[in-house]
Amino acid sequence: MVSPAIRTESLTKRYGRVLALDDLDLHVPAGQVFGFLGPNGAGKSTTIRLLLGLARPTAGRASIFGTDVGDGAETHRHLAYVPADVALWPQLTGAEMLELLARTGPGTDRSYRDELTERFDLDLSKPGRAYSTGNRQKVALVAAFATRAPLLVLDEPTSGLDPLMELEFRRAVREARGNGQSVFLSSHQLAEVEAVCDEVAILRAGRLVDVAAVTDLRRLHRTEVTVCFTGTPPDLTRVPCVQAVKATGATSVRFTLTGPPGPTLRELAAADVVSLSVREPSLEEIFLGYYDGAQQ
């Protein structure tokens, strides 16, 4: 029987009076891309620190491929990690850093590393001090993916990347899954998670509140729409997929759209709409709205 890539049992972490992680039971199957979601302060970074052995749990335990994370040397042979804020050796060039990481990590597929360097458009001749945030991130991503480690732990890995490089990142994640690797992805980007993950866990205030297939994330979608009109005010209260309708003036209304826009547009057609603005809320706002609604 194949051990799960990650398993936590009643994992708890306190920092003084602050309960950062509360009784977390998590099961990440091997070979899966697993999303780890939650608003800021939910406990995602604390969980990752515990998995990496950078912090000790107050209670409970965690294992990677069946090995307790307390055995740091053994567990780190099976994983590669990309932090949200990558720090590099300022004097070393990109090529020197990749070579150093290849010698100290769980092994490197050098031909794949060269391919990733080209795909991520990474100039390896520059010293670390000359790299932008995005290029520092690229160095860490290339090093991690090239290890072919059984488990990739990625904490907000695309911060600083432009949209084209984000697509390359998603491609590399899919290649890792196709190669039988497991990916644990902590992210604030809902679109990114939907594009690459098989399953997601949702954390709030240190507690696991949901684990679901990525297709179920559609219930979290919220689009904020503001409409200005000159005709009769539209009646959106009974329109499917419309929520939180609020008049923002005598001739304007704001609402949240959670599904196909067709019925809403038909209702708005009779209102002589003069302007319509659409805003995608942040993942933080989506979570707060979702949880506030769930607690009512």
Side-chain angles (χ1 to χ4, degrees), residues 263-284:
T264 306
L265 293 175
R266 286 191 289 272
E267 183 65 34
L268 292 175
D272 293 332
V273 173
V274 295
S275 69
L276 184 149
S277 65
V278 176
R279 186 181 75 90
E280 293 293 334
S282 68
L283 189 56
E284 184 88 1

Side-chain angles (χ1 to χ4, degrees), residues 23-156:
D23 204 31
L24 177 67
D25 290 321
L26 195 63
H27 179 276
V28 178
Q32 188 176 91
V33 181
F34 194 92
F36 199 46
L37 300 176
N40 288 330
K44 303 189 302 300
S45 294
T46 296
T47 301
I48 289 175
R49 288 180 59 81
L50 292 170
L51 292 175
L52 296 175
L54 300 177
R56 292 183 178 275
T58 304
R61 63 183 299 269
S63 62
I64 292 176
F65 294 111
T67 299
D68 193 283
V69 296
D71 187 351
E74 179 61 27
T75 57
H76 278 260
R77 292 192 189 100
H78 297 91
L79 66 84
Y81 167 56
V82 176
D85 186 13
V86 175
L88 300 177
W89 295 274
Q91 305 298 331
L92 298 183
T93 66
E96 290 170 335
M97 284 184 280
L98 287 181
E99 187 59 31
L100 176 60
L101 292 169
R103 294 184 181 186
T104 58
T108 295
D109 182 333
R110 295 176 185 272
S111 62
Y112 187 51
R113 183 184 67 186
D114 293 342
E115 177 189 334
L116 288 172
T117 298
E118 183 175 346
R119 281 164 44 182
F120 278 100
D121 192 23
L122 180 60
D123 183 352
L124 296 180
S125 66
K126 293 182 178 180
R129 65 176 178 271
Y131 279 134
S132 64
T133 299
N135 281 324
R136 292 198 303 270
Q137 209 70 24
K138 290 178 186 180
V139 171
L141 288 169
V142 169
F145 282 117
T147 64
R148 303 290 197 181
L151 173 63
L152 302 176
V153 179
L154 311 178
D155 187 6
E156 304 289 346

Side-chain angles (χ1 to χ4, degrees), residues 133-199:
T133 299
N135 281 324
R136 292 198 303 270
Q137 209 70 24
K138 290 178 186 180
V139 171
L141 288 169
V142 169
F145 282 117
T147 64
R148 303 290 197 181
L151 173 63
L152 302 176
V153 179
L154 311 178
D155 187 6
E156 304 289 346
T158 58
S159 58
L161 296 187
D162 62 42
L164 184 60
M165 293 300 102
E166 287 183 17
L167 293 179
E168 284 298 339
F169 165 77
R170 296 178 189 182
R171 177 183 170 190
V173 170
R174 287 191 286 267
E175 289 169 350
R177 176 173 51 195
N179 195 44
Q181 295 166 273
S182 308
V183 180
F184 187 71
L185 171 62
S186 174
S187 177
H188 276 88
Q189 299 188 39
L190 193 57
E192 178 177 86
V193 170
E194 285 189 290
V196 298
C197 291
D198 303 299
E199 195 172 15

